[in-house]
Amino acid sequence: MKAFLGMGLLGSNFVKAMRQRGEEVNVWNRTKSRADALEAFGAKAFENAADAVKGADLIHITLKDDATVNEVLELASTGFKPGAIIIDHTTTSTHGAIERTQNWKARGIIYLHAPVFMGPPNALEGSGSMLVSGDQAIIEKVSPELNKMTGKLINLGATEGKAASIKLIGNSFLIAMTTGIIDMLGVAKSLGVSTDDVNELFANWNPGAMMPARLKKISGGNFDQPSWELQMARKDAGLMLAAAAEANVHLAALSAIAAVMDNWISKGFATSDWTVIGSDNL
């Protein structure tokens, strides 16, 4: 028997998938009605987290943040059986994941951080990616369980907390990419270009194919052989910002980036590759 704490969109769909596989699952949520809703799928809902985990060999959690994870695990702790394994799918800090691994080990409980690049549909259909790192014997033991839950289980090695770090790195890119899409649509609106035309552009042009080469170029730190000079990129950014201002459209990401470009131009890097603006991060 297993338990699942945290019945948000992701946790609820993980539980539904478990029930589709015929697995017995106890569920708990701070707002009990969300846990109660899973009883229609054959899960058993509990008022108290400690009762939900009694007898469970595996305890999955999907919660909000470090503080919530710590609070809920402490609430549930009186119900943990010796040798129980906690598998935490919450996006947390690296420090928090390392600290919990050590603290629960000292209390005779295994804690494994397994954050995901998965949305609710992925959780229901067992697709997307799940990350793990740390004690390889533990990971080997729970891999059959985790492989059922995701399309790809990515083992990042023995370093505690690395899964948490990689999840944050990936999410930083997703936020930047999505903000870029929002700004792009703002530029399109400013220029009177329809979203259908934007979709058509990306049906014929895949900038994602540039990602590996661009990552290699930036991480290599060579900005003296530009493929797009900073001053020219800033000129183009100015055209976009001017069109947006005229249409009363705010470009949140581009406005911030333009300010960074201006700073680097003032320091004498106008003819460098424009990605020099990120060199302080290398």
Side-chain angles (χ1 to χ4, degrees):
M1 189 270 290
K2 62 188 66 174
F4 212 118
L5 309 179
M7 293 296 100
L9 296 175
L10 192 67
S12 293
N13 274 5
F14 271 135
V15 169
K16 290 174 186 177
M18 288 173 177
R19 288 299 304 139
Q20 288 173 359
R21 295 192 294 268
E23 299 170 6
E24 182 182 353
V25 191
N26 291 350
V27 296
W28 173 90
N29 194 74
R30 194 185 304 273
T31 303
K32 189 171 182 292
S33 59
R34 292 188 175 182
D36 291 341
L38 274 300
E39 291 199 325
F41 297 87
K44 187 175 181 181
F46 286 81
E47 182 79 31
N48 299 310
D51 291 334
V53 303
K54 284 181 180 176
D57 298 302
L58 295 175
I59 301 150
H60 293 270
I61 60 174
T62 54
L63 298 166
K64 179 184 177 182
D65 52 24
D66 287 289
T68 309
V69 170
N70 290 337
E71 179 186 354
V72 169
L73 289 180
E74 200 57 49
L75 287 173
S77 63
T78 57
F80 292 156
K81 63 185 291 186
I85 300 175
I86 301 165
I87 303 176
D88 183 5
H89 306 291
T90 309
T91 299
T92 71
S93 68
T94 301
H95 173 76
I98 294 171
E99 188 175 69
R100 276 185 293 278
T101 302
Q102 296 170 346
N103 289 348
W104 285 106
K105 182 178 181 180
R107 296 170 68 172
I109 301 295
I110 296 169
Y111 171 93
L112 178 68
H113 192 220
V116 299
F117 290 119
M118 299 170 67
N122 301 118
L124 187 60
E125 65 191 18
S127 60
S129 298
M130 183 179 293
L131 312 175
V132 287
S133 67
D135 190 317
Q136 294 297 291
I138 294 171
I139 291 172
E140 183 178 1
K141 182 176 181 178
V142 300
S143 286
E145 164 77 1
L146 301 183
N147 278 316
K148 291 185 292 185
M149 299 174 65
T150 186
K152 186 174 186 179
L153 180 63
I154 304 174
N155 185 346
L156 298 165
T159 303
E160 299 287 359
K162 189 171 184 179
S165 297
I166 295 297
K167 176 62 195 296
L168 292 176
I169 291 166
N171 275 9
S172 72
F173 179 78
L174 293 177
I175 290 171
M177 178 182 71
T178 303
T179 308
I181 291 171
I182 292 169
D183 269 17
M184 176 190 67
L185 292 174
V187 173
K189 179 181 179 181
S190 303
L191 298 173
V193 176
S194 71
T195 55
D196 286 342
D197 286 335
V198 175
N199 287 328
E200 181 66 21
L201 167 64
F202 286 92
N204 292 285
W205 174 57
N206 178 20
M210 305 175 188
M211 172 69 179
R214 189 146 301 184
L215 176 59
K216 184 176 181 180
K217 178 179 177 63
I218 294 170
S219 60
N222 182 4
F223 306 105
D224 296 332
Q225 298 179 353
S227 57
W228 194 11
E229 288 184 351
L230 175 56
Q231 62 186 353
M232 298 305 292
R234 179 62 180 89
K235 179 266 295 182
D236 288 1
L239 293 173
M240 302 169 207
L241 289 166
E246 187 174 346
N248 199 29
V249 171
H250 178 59
L251 305 179
L254 196 58
S255 297
I257 294 168
V260 176
M261 288 177 165
D262 289 340
N263 180 50
W264 280 87
I265 289 172
S266 72
K267 294 192 292 186
F269 291 89
T271 58
S272 298
D273 191 89
W274 84 276
T275 55
V276 72
I277 67 171
S279 59
D280 286 343
N281 292 345
L282 301 177

